[in-house]
Amino acid sequence: MDAVDSEQAVVNKLYFGKGGVYWILMILSSLSLLVGTSSATLLGRLYFIHGGSQRWLYTFIQSAGWPMLLPPLFTYYCASSTRPTPLTFKLFAIYLAMGFFTAFDNLLFSWGLSYLPVSTNVLLCASQLAFNAIFAYAIVGQKFTHFILNAVFSITVGAVLLGLHSDSDRPKGTTERQYVLGFIVTIAGAALYALMLPLLELTYKNVIGKTNFAVVIEAQTFIAIFATLFSMIGMAINGEFSVLKQEANAFPLGHALYAVTLVGSAIGWQMFFLGGAGIIFLASSLLSCTLSTAMLPVVSILAVIFFHDSFYALKGVAMLLSVWGFFSYIYGGYIEFKARSAVEPGPEDSL
């Protein structure tokens, strides 16, 4: 076997041999990320444009779907010899802190979604990739290639261009001050989300350990539980529990669709968070952020279809830049894998 054939054999092994389960989990995580972010964002905007106004309630909704994670987790425990990860004080403190940050980030997103069109909101969220690149470099030592830098630059420029021309699609009934506030809190939420991803990656590496995919569901469950508790405290302080029945009665689409909107959104957000956490476990926080950012234009297109959001030229440019950045990152990852032909087995081998 010559050198070329030997190199190709290594590449084939990396991609198609030992990583069969790995790629199945990666595809499922990516699909969960896409379906989750699309359904949750659209249903959230549906809630707000039809009179929903309880931002702490929607903050609660973004984490309240955690019980859906329990059946697959318990099934995995029963079907294997795996036992739950011991909940040490250090791990408890990490989950508590991550839960607080998640609840606060969810509140920022709820605030932005209540004031901005979906298409504008999701493309502004693309700025998370630039923030994540910086945090990933500082926290987990993420190495940069010119492919990664190109991806970060392309997607960030798209978000900036969008921001320079976004006032033209201000929703009816939204004041200029509210629109600007929505713009600011969306960017702030994107930055906080970008910070949490490498922190979660660091937790997988140094605290929990990359033993099996069950730890992803465990971590997401505990973080969501604490985020839900913090959100309920916020609801209680703001008196939102007392107005839920009144808001449901006033919802123009009816009680049933009010419930479907909130429950469906809760399920969608859990799919989104679980998919993102799974990609962090399988690869890196930067890839997770890159995939979620690249999927945002899909949500923008759906918003144009379902909510008739305006789609001016700069939105199209922002979308093309996001897609270009995504493919740049993926191609760079392929080149890196191909160059590291002697890499040692990774965590995917134990999945």
Side-chain angles (χ1 to χ4, degrees):
M1 180 180 293
D2 57 27
V4 175
D5 291 336
S6 178
E7 180 182 358
Q8 186 61 47
V10 172
V11 173
N12 288 340
K13 182 180 179 183
L14 277 170
Y15 283 95
F16 306 109
K18 66 182 182 182
V21 175
Y22 171 86
W23 285 112
I24 291 175
L25 290 174
M26 180 63 81
I27 292 172
L28 290 177
S29 295
S30 300
L31 289 175
S32 180
L33 192 70
L34 174 61
V35 174
T37 189
S38 301
S39 60
T41 304
L42 294 176
L43 287 172
R45 185 58 186 165
L46 182 69
Y47 166 75
F48 285 114
I49 65 175
H50 285 291
S53 60
Q54 309 307 311
R55 297 183 182 88
W56 272 110
L57 167 63
Y58 197 70
T59 300
F60 165 82
I61 288 298
Q62 291 178 69
S63 58
W66 61 264
M68 66 177 284
L69 303 177
L70 298 180
L73 185 60
F74 290 147
T75 300
Y76 182 83
Y77 288 152
C78 294
S80 67
S81 58
T82 304
R83 294 290 179 267
T85 304
L87 187 62
T88 62
F89 177 78
K90 182 178 182 180
L91 197 54
F92 176 86
I94 291 173
Y95 288 153
L96 181 66
M98 292 290 287
F100 172 79
F101 286 131
T102 298
F104 184 57
D105 188 53
N106 291 345
L107 178 62
L108 292 175
F109 184 83
S110 299
W111 210 277
L113 192 61
S114 66
Y115 288 146
L116 300 177
V118 171
S119 54
T120 300
N121 180 276
V122 296
L123 289 176
L124 282 177
C125 287
S127 62
Q128 68 192 17
L129 184 59
F131 291 115
N132 180 256
I134 297 172
F135 294 137
Y137 173 79
I139 296 174
V140 296
Q142 172 70 50
K143 294 182 179 180
F144 287 106
T145 66
H146 63 279
F147 294 105
I148 291 178
L149 291 175
N150 178 63
V152 172
F153 178 78
S154 299
I155 296 175
T156 303
V157 168
V160 171
L161 289 176
L162 181 68
L164 293 176
H165 192 66
S166 59
D167 188 64
S168 63
D169 66 347
R170 189 172 69 202
K172 293 181 180 179
T174 301
T175 66
E176 183 177 355
R177 179 177 177 275
Q178 290 174 331
Y179 190 89
V180 172
L181 177 61
F183 200 95
I184 293 173
V185 297
T186 299
I187 295 292
L192 181 55
Y193 177 73
L195 172 62
M196 289 191 294
L197 294 182
L199 290 176
L200 185 57
E201 181 179 357
L202 193 65
T203 301
Y204 287 145
K205 286 183 177 180
N206 298 341
V207 182
I208 303 176
K210 291 190 172 185
T211 54
N212 54 70
F213 200 79
V215 301
V216 176
I217 305 179
E218 289 177 354
Q220 177 56 33
T221 300
F222 279 108
I223 292 172
I225 288 174
F226 286 122
T228 301
L229 292 176
F230 284 121
S231 302
M232 292 176 68
I233 293 173
M235 289 181 65
I237 293 175
N238 285 272
E240 293 191 8
F241 284 107
S242 61
V243 299
L244 288 181
K245 184 176 181 181
Q246 178 182 351
E247 183 176 81
N249 289 333
F251 198 68
L253 301 180
H255 289 79
L257 283 181
Y258 179 81
V260 169
T261 298
L262 295 181
V263 173
S265 193
I267 294 173
W269 282 120
Q270 283 309 303
M271 293 179 65
F272 168 75
F273 287 124
L274 182 61
I279 295 171
I280 292 174
F281 176 83
L282 295 166
S284 69
S285 59
L286 186 56
L287 178 58
S288 178
C289 192
T290 301
L291 287 175
S292 63
T293 302
M295 292 173 182
L296 293 178
V298 176
V299 185
S300 186
I301 292 174
L302 293 175
V304 173
I305 296 173
F306 291 107
F307 296 133
H308 306 292
D309 283 5
S310 61
F311 197 80
Y312 46 81
L314 280 182
K315 278 190 179 179
V317 172
M319 179 182 298
L320 290 176
L321 286 171
S322 295
V323 173
W324 170 255
F326 166 71
F327 282 109
S328 176
Y329 183 96
I330 294 300
Y331 182 72
Y334 168 75
I335 295 298
E336 183 180 358
F337 268 117
K338 190 174 180 179
R340 288 179 4 213
S341 59
V343 67
E344 294 183 0
E348 64 269 25
D349 300 322
S350 63
L351 297 175

